[in-house]
């Protein structure tokens, strides 16, 4: 088998010439370990932990990820190697479930957000599916209550879109990464009830569609960040918001594709593919000469943001792995090179947006938990694209 570096060169040669882009081998194992350690050290909010769990699944337990080639659901028993690889993810889920108050109807306090607690749902479902103590129903109950809250308690917009906020109907692009993948995964694991499986996969797709109907700016091909409701709104084409949307729809797409009822969703899979491609294709039109994207993608007054650059590059590599269309891979590869250059010697991603303000850079010495996760998602996506492109 050829080493990863050589495979990267061969892959790049299929869509690039040597004088345009140097070969890019990906992160070293040493660097990835540092990035992971930093991520686990600073991730505290619900969506940060949910994104961390997803990133660590894709990085270390890729055969359990929806991006693996295997049909869902995953195996119920993990061998020692896979059990060790998935330990970070299972530990996150276990800590969340064990800390739940008796009367809690969601997985964790979402600070007023509907979608953010659901970001942990896939990890909790995976922990339940692979648990060794079959009498332990705590994971199943927690996931079921979280799903019930999403579908039947959370407010909805008039078009049926589930609100991202508990106190009012307000739609955030972030939601698409947090909740629809959980709804879809719950459906894919509902193997004993085909009707429920189909209904939940359709609901996950519908939430993507309904959010797109409201947030998409047809002229730009990009999504607004926050619309509707009172108070805070953000009508800009926020880079991370568009990245959340593209990456979330990718997870829904792959969950549907690998489900046992995939053949019943041909139109939905086609639409999701087109919608993801629209976002990444529109985003790369605004790439800067050094490979970065701006915090507000199409605003030249905005600042460079490595977080959104990393996640949009990851989404681009994932899409190329699925469609075998490499038309956006060159700018994404330039972005990956920029991300590697933006990691300091301790494994911290520099030049990130502050994820709590959306519109200011992270303060000196302050790091973005989601940015750390995005680096691992990017590395995993690149690795899998290279592996799938062996001739």
């Amino acid at each position: 088998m050829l080493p990863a570096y050589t495979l990267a060169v061969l892959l790049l040669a299929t869509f690039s010439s040597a004088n345009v882009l140097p070969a890019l081998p990906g992160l070293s194992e040493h660097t990835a370990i540092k990035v992971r350690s930093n991520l686990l050290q600073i991730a505290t909010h619900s969506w940060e932990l949910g994104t961390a769990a997803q990133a660590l699944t894709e990085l270390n337990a890729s055969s359990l990820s929806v991006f693996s080639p295997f049909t869902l659901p995953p195996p119920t028993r993990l061998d020692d190697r896979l059990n060790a690889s998935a330990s970070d993810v299972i530990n996150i889920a276990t800590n969340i479930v064990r800390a739940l108050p008796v009367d809690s109807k969601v997985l964790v306090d979402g600070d007023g957000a509907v979608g953010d607690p659901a970001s942990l749902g896939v990890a909790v479902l995976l922990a339940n599916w692979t648990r060794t103590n079959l009498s332990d129903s705590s994971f199943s109950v927690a996931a079921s209550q979280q799903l019930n809250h999403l579908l039947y308690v959370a407010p909805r917009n008039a078009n049926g879109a589930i609100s991202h906020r508990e106190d009012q109907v307000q739609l955030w692009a972030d939601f698409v990464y947090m909740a629809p993948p959980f709804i879809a995964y719950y459906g894919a694991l509902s193997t004993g009830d085909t009707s429920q499986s189909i209904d939940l996969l359709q609901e996950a797709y519908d939430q993507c569609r309904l959010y797109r109907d409201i947030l998409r700016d047809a002229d730009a091909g990009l999504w607004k960040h926050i619309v509707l409701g009172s108070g805070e709104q953000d009508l800009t084409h926020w880079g991370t918001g568009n990245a959340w949307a593209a990456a979330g729809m990718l997870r829904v797409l792959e969950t549907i594709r690998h489900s046992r009822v995939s053949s019943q969703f041909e139109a939905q899979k086609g639409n999701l593919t087109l919608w993801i491609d629209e976002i990444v294709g529109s985003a790369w039109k605004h790439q800067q000469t050094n490979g970065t994207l701006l915090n507000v993608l199409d605003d030249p007054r905005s600042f460079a943001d490595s977080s959104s650059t990393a996640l949009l590059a990851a989404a681009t590599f994932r899409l190329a792995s699925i469609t075998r269309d490499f038309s956006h891979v060159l700018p994404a590869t330039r972005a990956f090179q920029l991300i590697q250059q933006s990691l300091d010697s301790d494994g911290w991603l520099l030049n990130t947006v502050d994820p709590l303000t959306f519109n200011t850079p992270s303060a000196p010495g302050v790091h973005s938990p989601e940015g750390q996760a995005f680096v691992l998602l990017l590395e995993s996506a690149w690795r899998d694209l290279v592996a799938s492109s062996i001739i």
Side-chain angles (χ1 to χ4, degrees), residues 100 102 104-106 140-150:
L100 275 176
V102 174
S104 178
K105 302 302 181 186
V106 295
S140 175
V141 170
S144 177
Q145 289 177 332
Q146 177 64 69
L147 181 70
N148 184 77
H149 185 82
L150 276 176

Side-chain angles (χ1 to χ4, degrees), residues 182-385:
F182 165 59
I183 297 171
Y185 199 70
Y186 202 112
L189 267 56
S190 299
T191 55
D193 188 339
T194 301
S195 177
Q196 181 184 51
S197 180
I198 292 172
D199 288 348
L200 290 176
L201 290 168
Q202 182 64 44
E203 179 70 24
Y205 165 80
D206 283 342
Q207 288 305 313
C208 297
R209 174 178 58 83
L210 296 169
Y211 262 72
R212 180 176 181 269
D213 286 347
I214 301 295
L215 294 179
R216 174 177 175 260
D217 185 334
D219 292 336
L222 298 167
W223 289 26
K224 304 178 185 72
H225 180 205
I226 304 170
V227 303
L228 306 179
S230 58
E232 180 182 34
Q233 293 194 33
D234 182 5
L235 304 183
T236 69
H237 302 139
W238 187 44
T240 303
N242 279 272
W244 285 130
M249 287 192 289
L250 269 164
R251 293 172 64 194
V252 172
L253 170 62
E254 287 299 87
T255 305
I256 293 174
R257 283 208 325 133
H258 292 123
S259 74
R260 296 182 178 179
V261 292
S262 176
S263 62
Q264 300 189 41
F265 287 86
E266 296 303 321
Q268 295 92 328
K269 290 183 291 186
N271 286 339
L272 286 167
T273 302
L274 290 173
W275 300 342
I276 298 159
D277 184 77
E278 179 181 49
I279 291 177
V280 299
S282 298
W284 294 124
K285 293 176 182 178
H286 304 286
Q287 186 175 34
Q288 305 300 294
T289 55
N290 70 343
T292 194
L293 292 169
L294 302 178
N295 182 55
V296 177
L297 292 167
D298 54 354
D299 184 352
R301 300 166 299 177
S302 188
F303 55 89
D305 170 42
S306 59
S307 286
S308 58
T309 301
L311 187 54
L312 280 163
T316 301
F317 290 151
R318 288 295 184 194
L319 184 63
S321 293
I322 297 166
T323 64
R324 314 312 298 167
D325 178 352
F326 291 93
S327 57
H328 304 310
V329 170
L330 182 58
T333 307
R334 290 190 180 116
F336 190 18
Q337 187 175 40
L338 181 279
I339 294 303
Q340 294 191 30
Q341 296 166 351
S342 300
L343 288 167
D344 71 13
S345 59
D346 293 321
W348 292 110
L349 180 65
L350 307 179
N351 306 317
T352 61
V353 63
D354 183 332
L356 300 181
T357 67
F358 319 137
N359 57 15
T360 59
S362 295
V366 177
H367 305 289
S368 167
E370 63 192 45
Q372 295 295 122
F374 296 165
V375 172
L376 300 182
L377 289 169
L378 175 54
E379 167 64 19
S380 304
W382 169 254
R383 175 201 63 200
D384 292 352
L385 177 60

Side-chain angles (χ1 to χ4, degrees), residues 6-81:
T6 304
L7 290 174
V9 175
L10 290 175
L11 175 60
L12 291 174
T14 66
F15 54 82
S16 175
S17 60
N19 63 350
V20 174
L21 187 70
L24 195 64
L27 300 181
S28 69
E29 182 178 2
H30 182 64
T31 297
I33 289 172
K34 287 183 177 181
V35 174
R36 165 203 167 272
S37 177
N38 291 339
L39 167 61
L40 292 175
Q41 175 186 330
I42 64 174
T44 57
H45 292 97
S46 55
W47 83 89
E48 295 167 351
L49 291 167
T51 306
Q54 180 62 27
L56 293 166
T57 302
E58 294 183 29
L59 181 73
N60 293 330
S62 58
S63 64
L64 299 177
S65 161
V66 297
F67 294 105
S68 81
F70 304 116
T71 300
L72 293 170
T76 56
R77 293 289 179 268
L78 306 182
D79 60 29
D80 291 343
R81 181 194 61 79

